[in-house]
Each structure stands twice: as C-alpha cells, then as structure tokens.
Amino acid sequence: MSKILVIADILTQEPLAIKRASQLASAYQSTLHIVYFCNEDVIGVVDNVTQIKDDVLAKMSEKAAQQLAAIFSVSETYSYEVVWASSIHKWVASYVTKEQPKLVFKTGNRSESLFYTSTDLYLLRECQVPVLISAPEKWRKSSNILAAIDLGTTKKVKQDLNTKILQQAKILADGFNTELHVCYTVSISKLLKDLGMQYPDEMERHAQSKLDEKIKSLCAQYDIEPCNFHIKAGEPGKVITSVAAESKAGVVVIGMIGRSGINGKIFGNTAEKTLSLLKTDVLALNP
C-alpha cells in the first residue's frame, strides 16, 4: 500500500499534522509514515556527543509512541521514526527518491523573510511528489477543494501540470465528499487597466467564450458543476485567494512553475505569493 509521508510537529506542540494527515489517508487509500525530526546542536556542549544523541533519540521515540497511541485506534495502521537531521528538506528528498510516497504533509510555517527560504518553500520548489502545506488554523475536512489551473497555456508542460492538478483535486473532493471548484486567472496589465484600455469584466467574458468548449469537456471529465468554474481577471495570487474564500475552499491545489534563484526570492513564484496570502491548506505539485 502507498504511503503519505508526514512531517510531525514538535513533540511539545499540538500534533496538527498527524491528526490532519490521518483524515487524508482514506482519501488516498494510503498508510501514514510519520517522521519526528531532531536537530539540536549538542556539539561543543558535551564530550560524549554520540551517546547524547542516542539517548535523545530514544527518549523522543518513547514520547512519540505515547503520542501516536493516544491519536490512533488499535486498528489503524501507521509507521514512525525519529530522525536526527540538520536539513529536513534534504532528508525528505532522499526519502521521496527511495520510497515514492503519494504526497508529503506538513504544518505550514509562514514566517519566512525575503532572503530566508524556509523548509516549506524548499519542499514546494524541489519535492518530486505533491506537497500539502497545512494552515495552522483550524482545519475542516468538509471544506471544498479549489484547483488553480492555467487554461490559456499552449505549453505542454503546463498542460500536463493542469491535468495533474485536476486529478489530485478530484481525489481530495471525492475522498472528502465535497465540491470541486476550478479557478483560471486571466492576466491583465495594471497599466492598461489604469489607463482604461483593459476592462476585467470584458476580458473575463472573452475568455469564457473562447474556452467554453474546453470548460465543458473538463466539467464532464472531472464531474465539475459548470457554476464551479471561475474565470477572473487580475493578479493570480489575489484572484486565487479571493475565489478560495468565495468557494469556501479548505485546500487549494496549485502548480509550481516559476522563477528560481535570486529572482524567485525577490519577486516570488505565483504559488509562493499565493501561499503567503491564503488561509487555507495548499497542495503544490511540480511538473
């Protein structure tokens, strides 16, 4: 059976990631593999570093077992381990290469500054399986699912990514028995809009007319209500956030294609901008 890799919250915190991931297990027909990370720097503090690490890991494993026993019933299947690692995302990358889990699940940490790339963003940018970054706020599994796709693209890599996004969103919607919504953002020039040369409502109507047959086909293929297909003109991050609120989405499924390096850090990729604005969970997929 396939697995969902869960990055556990710190043992002293509420185990949100574990509780929320357990609700996903049935939707993906997967078991959970839960990993507790420890990276305390004890070098220089004590002489017997190896022994101290072994003792810490053993104690953490004992506490982890107690925590998991309190969360799961006897009939539920899961596995867990405690890992000493200085870089969580590198450990995750290695695990994903070997085990190919269905997805990686983690509670979000949205305190990153301009030149600091958090574990969350490393996973979003680099992980080769879907990554679900869960909002710290209260989570309702009955919330709707929103898939953010690029219907106007002519690039095959983006078209393939659209398919992956819709497939993952459909799995979640079916698994949670909720509605599936789809959002497409029509790009608009702020300058032309300010000069009265572009009008969002006209662009939306034009896109709706041009893409009508494609939308009907997708609605039939993924069992989407036509009224749940949202076409809005504007900045993608703001549009997706607005549609997520309107559609009462608990999870937004989005693709990760964009700039990397210093430009990516300064200007931000669409998914990263959206992540900073959304109050929902974000399921991110790389091509």
Side-chain angles (χ1 to χ4, degrees):
M1 196 177 203
S2 61
K3 293 180 181 179
I4 293 175
L5 174 63
V6 183
I7 300 175
D9 298 296
I10 299 172
L11 274 167
T12 55
Q13 296 178 344
E14 178 72 13
L16 296 177
I18 298 170
K19 291 179 178 179
R20 293 172 178 177
S22 68
Q23 297 173 340
L24 288 172
S26 59
Y28 279 92
Q29 297 183 334
S30 301
T31 60
L32 301 181
H33 182 64
I34 302 159
V35 183
Y36 295 82
F37 285 95
C38 178
N39 60 355
E40 291 293 330
D41 185 7
V42 298
I43 298 176
V45 177
V46 292
D47 293 329
N48 54 337
V49 175
T50 301
Q51 183 61 52
I52 290 294
K53 284 185 176 181
D54 290 343
D55 291 346
V56 168
L57 290 173
K59 191 65 177 179
M60 284 186 63
S61 184
E62 178 184 338
K63 288 185 175 296
Q66 293 171 354
Q67 183 184 75
L68 295 172
I71 295 173
F72 295 103
S73 66
V74 177
S75 61
E76 291 179 288
T77 303
Y78 63 88
S79 56
Y80 78 96
E81 61 181 308
V82 180
V83 174
W84 194 289
S86 59
S87 175
I88 292 176
H89 74 275
K90 289 181 179 179
W91 188 95
V92 170
S94 177
Y95 179 90
V96 166
T97 299
K98 295 176 183 176
E99 302 294 335
Q100 289 295 304
K102 280 279 188 181
L103 63 83
V104 175
F105 190 99
K106 182 184 182 298
T107 303
N109 175 12
R110 304 183 184 189
S111 61
E112 60 273 358
S113 58
L114 183 61
F115 290 104
Y116 172 66
T117 305
S118 67
T119 297
D120 295 358
L121 296 187
Y122 269 121
L123 292 174
L124 288 168
R125 289 169 177 162
E126 300 177 9
C127 194
Q128 297 306 304
V129 297
V131 177
L132 202 159
I133 302 294
S134 183
E137 289 79 10
K138 187 177 180 180
W139 199 55
R140 297 172 299 166
K141 80 170 186 177
S142 59
S143 299
N144 294 325
I145 309 300
L146 175 63
I149 61 176
D150 183 0
L151 282 178
T153 186
T154 58
K155 297 180 179 178
K156 189 176 186 304
V157 65
K158 288 191 175 183
Q159 291 173 344
D160 290 345
L161 188 55
N162 283 341
T163 300
K164 289 183 179 181
I165 290 169
L166 289 167
Q167 289 173 343
Q168 290 291 328
K170 178 66 172 170
I171 290 172
L172 290 173
D174 288 349
F176 290 156
N177 193 28
T178 60
E179 292 185 5
L180 173 55
H181 289 251
V182 179
C183 173
Y184 167 51
T185 303
V186 182
S187 297
I188 186 169
S189 165
K190 186 178 185 303
L191 175 61
L192 296 181
K193 177 185 174 184
D194 292 344
L195 292 174
M197 298 172 67
Q198 276 188 346
Y199 299 94
D201 54 346
E202 289 183 1
M203 298 182 70
E204 290 166 6
R205 286 194 296 270
H206 175 72
Q208 182 77 46
S209 176
K210 181 181 178 181
L211 299 167
D212 187 57
E213 290 303 315
K214 183 182 290 186
I215 291 171
K216 287 180 180 177
S217 175
L218 291 175
C219 285
Q221 183 178 355
Y222 293 98
D223 193 24
I224 304 167
E225 292 291 336
C227 62
N228 289 351
F229 233 101
H230 309 273
I231 295 180
K232 301 285 186 181
E235 184 180 328
K238 293 180 180 178
V239 168
I240 294 169
T241 303
S242 174
V243 173
E246 292 173 7
S247 59
K248 298 180 180 178
V251 182
V252 174
V253 187
I254 194 169
M256 286 294 297
I257 290 183
R259 292 178 293 271
S260 58
I262 190 65
N263 287 334
K265 288 186 177 182
I266 293 177
F267 298 110
N269 297 323
T270 297
E272 293 172 15
K273 286 185 177 180
T274 305
L275 180 63
S276 69
L277 295 171
L278 283 169
K279 302 301 181 184
T280 66
D281 293 1
V282 175
L283 177 60
L285 288 78
N286 279 295

